[in-house]
Amino acid sequence: MLKKRIIPCLDIRDGQVVKGVNFKQLRFAGDPVELAKRYVDEGADELVFLDISATNEKRKTLTKLVQRIAREVDIPFTVGGGIAMLADARAVIESGADKVSVNSAAVNRPDLINEIAQEFGNQCVVLAVDTKHQQGLDIVFTHGGTRPSSLHTETWVLEAVSRGAGEILLTSMDADGTKAGFDLRISKKISQLLSVPVIASGGAGRMEDFQTLFTQTMASAALAASIFHFGEVPIPELKKFLIKNNIPTRWI
Amino acid sequence: MIAIIQYNAGNATSVKNALDRLGYPAVITADPELIRSADQVIFPGVGEASTAMKYLRDRNLDQLLRSLKQPVLGICLGLQLMCRHTEEGDTTCLGIFDVGVKHFPATGIVPHMGWNSLVEPHGSLMAGINTGDDFYFVHSYHAEKAEATVAEANYLLPFSAALHRDNFYAVQFHPEKSAETGKKLLLNFLKLT
C-alpha cells in the first residue's frame, strides 16, 4: 500500500539552517546536511529545503549545498525558494535535487511551470501555494505570504496542474504557526479537486493533527518544520502513533 | 567497473552518488566499449519514453543494450524501456522483457508517488528483501504482471515492481532514493556476476 509521507522542511539562508534546532544528544551547528541525515535516520520520507536568501549571488552557495545533499542523502528531496527561471530550476536539478518547488515566480509567469515540466518531467515540478481565506474566498498570496494576488486558490492549482505541476505543496496561512492543526477545510477541498498528490502544510502541533489530516482529507503527505526541529513531535514517535492508528506509514 | 548509461533521460548522477556511498565507484558513459567491458551495467531513467527510445536508437544504444551479457539493472523508465511496448507516446521499446507498459487508471492520483511496499519479492536481486518492505516510486505508467515478475506492488492495481530474465534485471522504484532497503537491493545487484 502507498504510504502517507511525512516531510520535514528546512529553511536555509546562506547555506545554513535558519531556525534553531534542538535534538536530544546532538549539538547542532546549523549544517543542513547534518540535519538532513538525522531526519533520514529518524524515518523522514522526503525532505524539502527552502532557500530564503535566494538572491543571484547566493545561488552558487545553494548549488554547492544541493550537490552535498545529493551526495549524502538517500531519500528524495525538493529544493525551492527563489526559483524564477528555467535556469534556476536546471541548476538545482542538475546538482541532484529530485524536484523543485516554484511559488511567486509561477504566479507572475505561469509558463515557468510548463518550461520546467517539459525539460524535466511533471514529477519534478512542485507548485507551492500560500493560501489565505478572505471574505469567503481562498486567495493565493505570494512573496512569502506578504502579497495577495488576484488568483483564487482552486483556479490556480487547476491551471498549474494542467501546465504540468506534478504535486502541490499547499500552505494554509490561516493555520501556519498556530500549532492548532492542519487546515482541514482547504486541504480537503484541494486534495479532492486534483488528480496529483497534495502535501498539506501549516498548523501541525500534535501527532493527532497528522492522523486527522490523513483520515479527513485526501492529502498524500504532510509537511512541518518547527515541531520536528525542536523535537516537540519526534518523527519515530509520530510514525509509531500513525501506524497504531491504521494510517499507512513507512516504518524503518 | 560499473557503467551507468548516459542518455537524455537521466538520474544518472543520483545513481552514481548512491554507488559512491556504498563504496562502488561507477562511470557515467555512453561509450559502447566501456559499457560492453563493464562488470555490471545500470540503465537509469527519468523522463519520457518516446524521446528516450529515439535517442537510444539514433546512437545504436538499443542494440548494444540488448546484446549485453553481464548483469544489467534498469531503473524506473529504464525498466519500462526494457519492456516490449509502452502506452507512453505509443512507443516500441527494447523488448528484453515480453511485457506491456500501461498508463495507470485515470480514477486515481497519478503519478504514483511515494513509498510503497513490495509483494512476494523473490530471486537473487531480492535476497533479504521481504513482502512489506518499502521503496520509493514515482511513475505514471506501470509494467503489467508477467512471467518475468520478481516482485509486485499495488497501486490502483497490482503491477510488476521488478522483472528478471537471464542477465537482465529491472526495478520500477528508485533504489538510489530508497534509503536502507534501496542499499540492500543495490548491493544484491552488485554481487551478481
Side-chain angles (χ1 to χ4, degrees):
Chain A
M1 189 190 269
L2 182 63
K3 309 302 187 292
K4 299 292 186 181
R5 285 171 283 154
I6 303 297
I7 308 177
C9 178
L10 289 74
D11 287 344
I12 309 291
R13 184 190 287 146
D14 306 338
Q16 297 286 303
V17 175
V18 175
K19 287 177 190 163
V21 172
N22 180 18
F23 275 120
K24 282 175 202 151
Q25 298 160 335
L26 178 78
R27 268 191 57 212
F28 180 69
D31 177 17
V33 177
E34 195 186 325
L35 179 57
K37 285 168 74 173
R38 172 77 184 203
Y39 279 135
V40 173
D41 291 343
E42 287 197 337
D45 296 311
E46 270 183 48
L47 298 169
V48 170
F49 298 87
L50 279 185
D51 184 33
I52 58 173
S53 53
T55 58
N56 282 345
E57 195 190 325
K58 302 289 159 57
R59 197 174 303 138
K60 268 186 194 158
T61 318
L62 179 66
T63 308
K64 274 192 195 136
L65 175 63
V66 173
Q67 286 168 355
R68 273 185 64 217
I69 297 165
R71 278 198 297 271
E72 304 228 19
V73 166
D74 56 6
I75 63 171
F77 68 95
T78 302
V79 174
I83 304 284
M85 296 179 296
L86 177 60
D88 302 330
R90 193 183 288 136
V92 296
I93 289 173
E94 287 180 352
S95 300
D98 298 284
K99 315 177 199 178
V100 289
S101 78
V102 293
N103 190 332
S104 307
V107 171
N108 292 337
R109 197 174 65 81
D111 278 345
L112 179 64
I113 297 169
N114 305 62
E115 290 165 11
I116 305 172
Q118 272 156 27
E119 185 156 329
F120 297 103
N122 296 15
Q123 81 288 340
C124 279
V125 189
V126 181
L127 178 78
V129 181
D130 296 327
T131 180
K132 195 179 167 92
H133 199 59
Q134 282 186 330
Q135 293 161 343
L137 296 170
D138 293 302
I139 303 296
V140 177
F141 276 62
T142 62
H143 298 84
T146 57
R147 289 189 210 168
S149 75
S150 57
L151 294 170
H152 292 176
T153 304
E154 300 100 296
T155 323
W156 174 228
V157 294
L158 282 170
E159 180 183 342
V161 169
S162 75
R163 286 174 173 274
E167 198 169 24
I168 303 293
L169 168 53
L170 182 74
T171 301
S172 164
M173 293 172 56
D174 304 303
D176 204 21
T178 64
K179 295 193 180 175
F182 291 96
D183 186 334
L184 298 173
R185 184 193 59 82
I186 192 72
S187 304
K188 191 172 182 175
K189 192 172 176 180
I190 300 300
S191 62
Q192 278 176 347
L193 184 68
L194 298 179
S195 59
V196 301
V198 171
I199 305 166
S201 158
R206 307 173 309 152
M207 298 198 287
E208 289 79 0
D209 297 334
F210 292 83
Q211 181 194 7
T212 313
L213 175 76
F214 291 138
T215 46
Q216 296 193 13
T217 81
M218 287 177 65
S220 299
L223 179 138
S226 59
I227 56 161
F228 295 144
H229 298 334
F230 293 106
E232 292 163 45
V233 175
I235 292 174
E237 279 177 40
L238 169 61
K239 291 197 141 187
K240 217 177 283 175
F241 172 83
L242 292 176
I243 288 168
K244 207 178 109 203
N245 287 283
N246 298 315
I247 306 292
T249 306
R250 167 177 164 258
W251 182 249
I252 61 165
Chain B
M1 189 261 299
I2 302 158
I4 303 170
I5 295 185
Q6 181 173 41
Y7 67 122
N8 65 335
N11 58 335
T13 308
S14 296
V15 175
K16 184 173 162 33
N17 283 336
L19 297 182
D20 282 344
R21 285 192 292 268
L22 294 171
Y24 287 82
V27 290
I28 300 173
T29 180
D31 176 351
E33 281 315 304
L34 266 182
I35 294 169
R36 227 175 259 126
S37 64
D39 299 310
Q40 285 108 0
V41 175
I42 297 184
F43 180 39
V46 169
E48 197 274 328
S50 66
T51 47
M53 268 314 295
K54 184 177 182 314
Y55 185 97
L56 294 173
R57 276 201 202 94
D58 289 350
R59 288 158 185 77
N60 290 325
L61 286 169
D62 57 332
Q63 289 175 28
L64 174 70
L65 272 161
R66 273 190 290 254
S67 71
L68 292 174
K69 300 290 179 231
Q70 64 274 61
V72 177
L73 178 67
I75 295 176
C76 194
L77 181 67
L79 174 143
Q80 300 184 1
L81 296 179
M82 286 162 80
C83 292
R84 183 183 64 240
H85 174 270
T86 172
E87 287 186 351
E88 187 174 26
D90 187 17
T91 306
T92 301
C93 300
L94 297 168
I96 291 167
F97 302 114
D98 188 18
V99 177
V101 177
K102 301 252 154 55
H103 198 276
F104 276 117
T107 50
I109 291 173
V110 178
H112 170 220
M113 182 185 279
W115 297 82
N116 203 339
S117 44
L118 300 190
V119 178
E120 292 182 17
H122 59 276
S124 48
L125 184 65
M126 296 291 165
I129 294 165
N130 303 306
T131 292
D133 285 355
D134 286 315
F135 288 85
Y136 194 87
F137 290 79
V138 189
H139 58 126
S140 301
Y141 295 80
H142 66 278
E144 294 181 300
K145 292 203 299 180
E147 214 183 308
T149 303
V150 289
E152 290 179 27
N154 287 298
Y155 184 68
L156 304 174
L157 44 77
F159 65 91
S160 288
L163 297 166
H164 169 224
R165 181 180 72 79
D166 303 331
N167 58 316
F168 294 101
Y169 300 80
V171 292
Q172 179 59 66
F173 48 84
H174 288 278
E176 76 281 10
K177 289 285 169 181
S178 294
E180 291 302 319
T181 49
K183 269 183 214 163
K184 206 184 275 181
L185 185 131
L186 287 172
L187 285 171
N188 284 345
F189 174 73
L190 295 168
K191 280 185 212 139
L192 298 171
T193 49

